[in-house]
Amino acid sequence: MNLKRCFNALLGLGVVVSFISCQSKGTPNENMTTREVSVHQVDIGEGISTNTYSASIEGTTNVEIRPQISGYLSKIFVDEGAYVKAGQSLFKIDDSPFLEQYNTAKAAVEVAVANLKNIKIDLDRKVELVENKIVSDLQVTQATASYDAAHASLAQAQAAMNAAKINLDFCLIKAPVSGFIGRLPYRLGSLVSPSTAEPLTLLTDINEVYAYFSMSESAFVNFQEQRSANTAMDSVTLILSNGKTYYHKGVIDAIAGQFDKNTGSIAIRAKFSNPERKLRAGNTGRIEIAQKIEDVLLVPIKSTLAIQDKIYVYKLSNESKVEQVEVEVVGKTTEDYYVRSGVQKGETVLNGGLGFFRPGMVVNAKQQ
């Protein structure tokens, strides 16, 4: 009796398993549910694309302050980071030896002047005597030559005095331009000379600054094409290192004459006004250049999928199957990508929810 019950139980279990197995089998189309999805039709339009380039900031004038003479620093009138005006005193080299040289040269000039006067008196007297036939013409010629030599000696002494005065003036080093003082590597008592490797300091004029950046060859060709037709292309925006936009617009004022063979890029310089002196030499940032794009394909950003550094869309074939294709993006707005290739005008792409779909799936398109 127990054996019969066990047999019946096993038979029933086999029927259930067989039924479940039959229910699980079938064609893929019978088991898959066609998903309804919103789609977007690709169209052609125009817009503004913003390209960004890394930039470094430099002052319009960077002057190395170097001594013109050798000597010991006796005074330092400024501190690191101070703002100075053109003509302001910066350093002083001990001028004692140069002052003595100047005094000696000045005394030599006075001697030469006195000597010239004596010789001039002698020449005038002989000129009078030769008229009265008291002295010969030869003596007058000799006196004239002595006078010329004395005159030359005076000029030589004056040149030596002027040179000594220049060296004396070099003892006081002044700012050639207005700007900010850099690091001061030397202290009072340091021996400096024109041959010293490191300058006394670096003086930077930052009332205006330069932003240097590089552009690839293809980007530069596009930039030049639009620049020739629109001078506003020279206007650029500076994004500071903290992500904020600098409140003064810049203008491109110089482009290198050739591309760098190693990097394949060309150097470009933009000038920015810096009246508040917010920017300093050595700052970094990003240059943004807006370019107008015409006859470009518009694809909603929500219709795209980013995989590593590539952008993809899911477009529908004639059989309503999902196909994954890569697109070339040349710019964007807050809502759309500007696409150059990968899709064509009039093609249909999935409009969001891309994570739920796979290539080859059949969907029910719902036009948005």
Side-chain angles (χ1 to χ4, degrees):
M1 186 68 180
N2 291 335
L3 183 61
K4 186 177 181 179
R5 287 181 178 177
C6 290
F7 178 78
N8 291 335
L10 291 173
L11 181 62
L13 180 62
V15 171
V16 172
V17 171
S18 177
F19 176 77
I20 295 174
S21 176
C22 291
Q23 289 295 323
S24 64
K25 292 181 179 180
T27 63
N29 290 335
E30 292 174 343
N31 295 321
M32 291 180 61
T33 302
T34 302
R35 183 184 294 272
E36 188 177 79
V37 61
S38 174
V39 295
H40 173 83
Q41 193 172 43
V42 178
D43 198 5
I44 291 179
E46 62 180 29
I48 300 296
S49 173
T50 301
N51 297 321
T52 304
Y53 308 93
S54 298
S56 60
I57 309 299
E58 298 291 342
T60 52
T61 303
N62 292 322
V63 182
E64 289 185 346
I65 306 300
R66 293 183 177 273
Q68 300 296 311
I69 55 174
S70 299
Y72 295 94
L73 280 179
S74 61
K75 289 184 180 180
I76 299 177
F77 299 101
V78 294
D79 198 2
E80 295 176 343
Y83 179 78
V84 298
K85 295 183 178 180
Q88 183 175 334
S89 298
L90 305 179
F91 306 94
K92 186 175 182 181
I93 297 175
D94 182 18
D95 62 356
S96 300
F98 299 99
L99 181 59
E100 290 303 318
Q101 292 175 8
Y102 173 72
N103 290 335
T104 300
K106 184 178 180 181
V109 170
E110 293 174 353
V111 171
V113 169
N115 185 47
L116 182 63
K117 289 181 179 179
N118 286 331
I119 293 178
K120 183 65 169 60
I121 292 172
D122 182 64
L123 175 61
D124 292 342
R125 186 177 68 247
K126 287 183 177 180
V127 169
E128 293 178 358
L129 293 175
V130 77
E131 293 176 353
N132 298 323
K133 306 294 185 177
I134 299 176
V135 298
S136 66
D137 292 338
L138 179 59
Q139 290 176 306
V140 174
T141 303
Q142 291 175 339
T144 302
S146 297
Y147 175 79
D148 292 340
H151 195 276
S153 296
L154 174 60
Q156 187 177 28
Q158 288 175 332
M161 183 185 70
N162 292 337
K165 183 63 167 59
I166 291 174
N167 287 334
L168 181 61
D169 292 340
F170 279 153
C171 291
L172 183 61
I173 301 173
K174 298 181 179 181
V177 296
S178 298
F180 284 90
I181 296 294
R183 193 173 70 88
L184 301 178
Y186 302 101
R187 295 295 181 262
L188 291 177
S190 299
L191 178 62
V192 297
S193 71
S195 61
T196 303
E198 193 170 9
L200 297 178
T201 190
L202 183 67
L203 182 59
T204 305
D205 180 7
I206 58 172
N207 288 317
E208 290 183 321
V209 296
Y210 290 135
Y212 293 90
F213 62 100
S214 297
M215 192 178 290
S216 67
E217 183 176 357
S218 59
F220 180 71
V221 171
N222 293 333
F223 170 75
Q224 286 289 76
E225 288 178 352
Q226 295 195 23
R227 187 187 186 202
S228 60
N230 183 10
T231 55
M233 288 293 297
D234 286 345
S235 178
V236 298
T237 301
L238 175 63
I239 306 299
L240 303 178
S241 57
N242 62 359
K244 295 183 178 180
T245 301
Y246 184 57
Y247 35 79
H248 293 292
K249 284 283 188 178
V251 60
I252 293 176
D253 70 335
I255 300 176
Q258 60 184 8
F259 282 86
D260 188 318
K261 295 181 180 179
N262 297 321
T263 63
S265 60
I266 191 168
I268 301 177
R269 186 183 76 188
K271 181 187 287 187
F272 289 84
S273 177
N274 190 32
E276 298 86 2
R277 304 189 183 97
K278 297 293 185 181
L279 300 177
R280 298 291 182 97
N283 277 148
T284 58
R286 303 189 311 276
I287 292 293
E288 286 190 349
I289 301 179
Q291 296 185 13
K292 185 177 180 181
I293 302 179
E294 297 179 347
D295 298 331
V296 67
L297 298 168
L298 302 178
V299 176
I301 295 178
K302 63 181 181 180
S303 297
T304 63
L305 182 67
I307 301 178
Q308 294 183 350
D309 59 342
K310 296 181 180 180
I311 304 296
Y312 296 88
V313 298
Y314 284 156
K315 70 178 183 179
L316 295 184
S317 65
N318 295 332
E319 295 80 17
S320 296
K321 288 185 177 181
V322 175
E323 179 184 357
Q324 184 182 27
V325 294
E326 181 185 353
V327 294
E328 181 185 359
V329 175
V330 294
K332 68 177 182 178
T333 64
T334 55
E335 297 181 354
D336 296 318
Y337 274 132
Y338 300 134
V339 174
R340 179 168 293 165
S341 63
V343 293
Q344 297 179 1
K345 179 183 178 181
E347 289 188 328
T348 302
V349 297
L350 272 61
N351 196 25
L354 305 187
F356 297 101
F357 301 96
R358 295 293 181 270
M361 291 181 62
V362 178
V363 298
N364 181 19
K366 179 183 178 182
Q367 191 72 33
Q368 190 179 35

